[in-house]
Amino acid sequence: MTGLVTGASRGIGKAIALELAASGYDLCITGRDINALESTAAELEAKGVRVCCACANLADESSYESIVKTAADTFGGIDLLVN
């Protein structure tokens, strides 16, 4: 199973990503701060799941397609979206 979690670099989004990883989901995580995303990715990978980061600002609608493409190219598709 693959999840896409927006705002996963901190707060509620990060907490949700950690719970999904604990349940075995591979994850594509998004956020505006690449350093925070990479830190979260390291925590998720320590749980034994695969992770990709898509640094983006969701206020910019043009980023949506890029995020989905990153997740699909990395994992073959998305089973769950948490936005």
Side-chain angles (χ1 to χ4, degrees):
M1 299 291 284
T2 300
L4 170 58
V5 181
T6 64
S9 59
R10 58 181 53 95
I12 294 169
K14 180 177 180 176
I16 291 169
L18 288 166
E19 285 297 318
L20 290 172
S23 295
Y25 277 82
D26 291 325
L27 296 167
C28 181
I29 58 174
T30 70
R32 294 176 297 190
D33 181 341
I34 190 64
N35 293 325
L37 274 178
E38 289 173 348
S39 176
T40 298
E43 288 182 57
L44 297 168
E45 288 169 340
K47 293 187 177 292
V49 299
R50 297 180 303 152
V51 180
C52 72
C53 297
C55 189
N57 182 347
L58 294 182
D60 178 4
E61 291 181 27
S62 67
S63 65
Y64 302 170
E65 188 174 324
S66 173
I67 294 167
V68 172
K69 182 173 178 6
T70 297
D73 288 350
T74 302
F75 300 116
I78 302 167
D79 301 300
L80 173 74
L81 169 64
V82 179
N83 185 10

